[in-house]
Amino acid sequence: MSDSVNRREFLQRAGQTAALTAGVAALGGVHTEAAEQPSTIQLGMIGCGSMMRGHVSHLVTQQRNISFAHFCDVDPAQIERISRNIDGFQSAAPNRTGRYEDVIADKNVDAVFIATPHHWHAPIALAAIAAGKDVYIEKPVSHVYHEGNLIREAALQHGRVVQQGTQMRSCPVTDQAGKLLADGVIGKVLVSRAWTAELRKVVSPVADSEAPSGVDYDRWLGPAPTRAFNKHRFHNSWRRFRDYANGEIGDDGIHDLDMARWGLGDPALPSKITARGGRMILHGHASEYPDNMHVMFEYPDGRLLVYENYPFTEYGLHGFDNGNVFYGTDGYMVFSRRGAFSTFLGRKGEPGPTEKKEDRGKRGYEQHQQDFLNAVRTRGTTRASAEVAHQSAALVHLGEITFRTRGQLEFDVESEQFFGCDEANQMLTKEYRDPYVLPTGA
């Protein structure tokens, strides 16, 4: 890729939000391909834990001509908690249900937010897309690699808007950094680095027990294998187990991997992956994942993306617990989704441009939601579209598969299969427990 092409890509992405905003002013209300709909977007909120409560709070604060039509969760206590976040916001209370099917069957619902554990992302999203709903899906968009392709194909087939919850894509700080990269302030970016450096502590295993009263635990398990209830495999801590999640690399790590790929100009898929990890300090920890992981992704043109996970530090790297470095031919940029970046130029690493003071600390939450709602109204694209989401989530899956198999694999970016490793190729998809299978045709 030439420098000029790389810079044009950055400038095109930086201009998307302005184009969408102009489209909203021109078109007004919600639009489908067939008919105009009311200007107030009716939302179904599926999975009402802490992440969704944050989404609802931001939406209420922004007052963006939306209405909450449904709150859906298998735990009624979660719905009760989230309902307090909209006191006084709308005259009619949202419907309450433990079945996502009730939400997507409602013809008045325009779009759904999905903030369930990862193993439910694709089954719900695919059903919603087929039912004509636009979808905002928390990161990562998929639990296994194959699901990302299915969501991408379904969105294209049904003409639906998709946004993955990687919020820094829409942050003003990201726009400023992108403009500098497009202008070539650090030259051509050849290597991109991502890290998660946060202190983790051992959580000891506990015995299985009864599920909390009122919880539809079989539906919580959904497509995952049947097993006894354990509080460590439930609210919040489910992310430490493969049946439902993707470990550190797919939890916090996906944010930084996504921005690392963005810093390289959003290349599609890597062709070579090397992964190492293990238990460094969290011995006896109730988790199926390593407490440290190092993954190197090489793209077909030779550029590199490096991911690092450290569980033992509160000081972070370059001053950030989560961040990136983009290494260019004329300098480098330290970037963090905590809302900051710095540049260092030339042989002596002279300090260069940084983020605007008034935008320091912004993380893109409100802007990312608005980007999605704009696209729902205008039928435009989003910054973390199904294509972007799949290619970033793919790094999670390819890295994890490489770690669990041979530690070093080559990937055919055309056939989307690993060379000479049947075990790895089997992990690109998974089995789904009946009756919680993928929708027919997916």
Side-chain angles (χ1 to χ4, degrees):
M1 179 184 294
S2 69
D3 286 340
S4 60
V5 172
N6 196 31
R7 292 171 189 175
R8 283 199 303 272
E9 290 175 352
F10 270 112
L11 287 170
Q12 288 167 357
R13 292 202 310 275
Q16 286 177 345
T17 294
L20 288 173
T21 302
V24 172
L27 292 172
V30 178
H31 286 67
T32 66
E33 293 176 344
E36 184 173 345
Q37 296 187 10
S39 59
T40 297
I41 299 175
Q42 299 290 329
L43 297 177
M45 316 304 279
I46 304 173
C48 295
S50 58
M51 184 62 71
M52 186 66 84
R53 290 197 296 275
H55 286 314
V56 168
S57 293
H58 285 301
L59 288 166
V60 167
T61 300
Q62 294 177 78
Q63 300 281 340
R64 296 291 190 184
N65 289 331
I66 57 94
S67 180
F68 300 104
H70 294 264
F71 283 153
C72 174
D73 199 284
V74 298
D75 183 354
Q78 299 258 70
I79 297 179
E80 184 62 35
R81 280 191 290 271
I82 203 170
S83 296
R84 300 170 196 152
N85 290 38
I86 65 166
D87 286 346
F89 178 73
Q90 59 192 57
S91 57
N95 296 300
R96 299 185 179 196
T97 181
R99 295 173 48 84
Y100 74 88
E101 296 93 336
D102 297 337
V103 181
I104 64 176
D106 185 345
K107 294 182 179 180
N108 293 317
V109 170
D110 301 302
V112 298
F113 276 62
I114 302 170
T116 61
H118 304 172
H119 71 302
W120 262 119
H121 285 183
I124 296 174
L126 289 167
I129 290 169
K133 315 302 182 189
D134 298 320
V135 293
Y136 184 112
I137 313 170
E138 259 310 318
K139 50 72 187 171
V141 69
S142 52
H143 186 219
V144 292
Y145 181 91
H146 179 58
E147 292 175 342
N149 266 333
L150 293 179
I151 291 171
R152 180 179 57 80
E153 292 163 3
L156 185 63
Q157 176 185 351
H158 296 282
R160 294 297 95 195
V161 171
V162 174
Q163 179 88 301
Q164 178 180 248
T166 42
Q167 294 86 5
M168 280 304 289
R169 286 268 173 175
S170 300
C171 184
V173 172
T174 306
D175 289 342
Q176 294 159 31
K179 178 63 165 57
L180 290 170
L181 293 176
D183 288 344
V185 69
I186 63 170
K188 183 177 181 179
V189 179
L190 298 176
V191 178
S192 188
R193 181 185 179 196
W195 68 82
T196 301
E198 302 178 40
L199 186 64
R200 304 297 189 207
K201 297 180 180 180
V202 172
V203 177
S204 298
V206 297
D208 294 339
S209 60
E210 293 295 319
S213 177
V215 170
D216 186 343
Y217 179 58
D218 184 73
R219 181 166 276 265
W220 188 94
L221 286 172
T226 299
R227 60 160 292 123
F229 178 85
N230 188 287
K231 72 174 187 178
H232 285 340
R233 302 174 72 101
F234 194 47
H235 291 333
N236 299 318
S237 49
W238 52 263
R239 60 196 72 234
R240 300 198 299 263
F241 300 92
R242 288 195 173 94
D243 284 345
Y244 331 114
N246 300 90
E248 193 79 59
I249 191 174
D251 193 31
D252 268 2
I254 177 60
H255 284 293
D256 306 304
L257 284 168
D258 180 60
M259 295 315 300
R261 200 172 70 82
W262 171 87
L264 282 177
D266 280 329
L269 296 168
S271 56
K272 297 179 182 178
I273 308 99
T274 302
R276 296 288 187 271
R279 283 295 170 94
M280 184 179 290
I281 61 171
L282 299 183
H283 303 292
H285 189 41
S287 171
E288 294 175 343
Y289 290 97
D291 67 14
N292 70 95
M293 199 170 183
H294 289 67
V295 188
M296 179 177 291
F297 304 91
E298 182 176 335
Y299 287 91
D301 63 3
R303 288 180 295 164
L304 299 177
L305 190 157
V306 181
Y307 170 76
E308 304 164 88
N309 168 220
Y310 302 101
F312 55 80
T313 170
E314 291 183 292
Y315 55 76
L317 301 175
H318 293 282
F320 297 107
D321 56 351
N322 301 91
N324 303 94
V325 180
F326 310 131
Y327 297 99
T329 52
D330 300 320
Y332 64 95
M333 175 184 288
V334 177
F335 179 95
S336 175
R337 62 185 174 93
R338 301 311 182 197
F341 69 85
S342 300
T343 54
F344 301 90
L345 310 176
R347 291 183 60 185
K348 296 183 178 180
E350 297 287 347
T354 66
E355 77 286 345
K356 294 179 181 178
K357 185 177 180 180
E358 61 268 27
D359 292 325
R360 188 170 300 154
K362 291 183 178 179
R363 302 187 184 188
Y365 289 101
E366 294 87 354
Q367 294 88 352
H368 207 54
Q369 288 180 342
Q370 185 57 44
D371 182 59
F372 174 64
L373 297 176
N374 285 351
V376 171
R377 289 190 170 96
T378 67
R379 312 315 304 160
T381 190
T382 58
R383 292 207 174 193
S385 66
E387 182 78 18
V388 169
H390 171 55
Q391 290 174 353
S392 290
L395 300 178
V396 172
H397 306 312
L398 299 180
E400 167 73 1
I401 290 170
T402 303
F403 166 76
R404 291 174 63 188
T405 55
R406 297 179 180 175
Q408 186 170 358
L409 292 171
E410 293 190 13
F411 189 69
D412 186 335
V413 299
E414 299 298 328
S415 68
E416 299 184 56
Q417 295 280 296
F418 290 101
F419 287 105
C421 188
D422 291 341
E423 180 186 10
N425 286 323
Q426 290 172 9
M427 292 181 186
L428 293 169
T429 187
K430 66 177 183 179
E431 294 185 3
Y432 298 81
R433 183 171 69 98
D434 193 61
Y436 304 104
V437 296
L438 296 178
T440 302

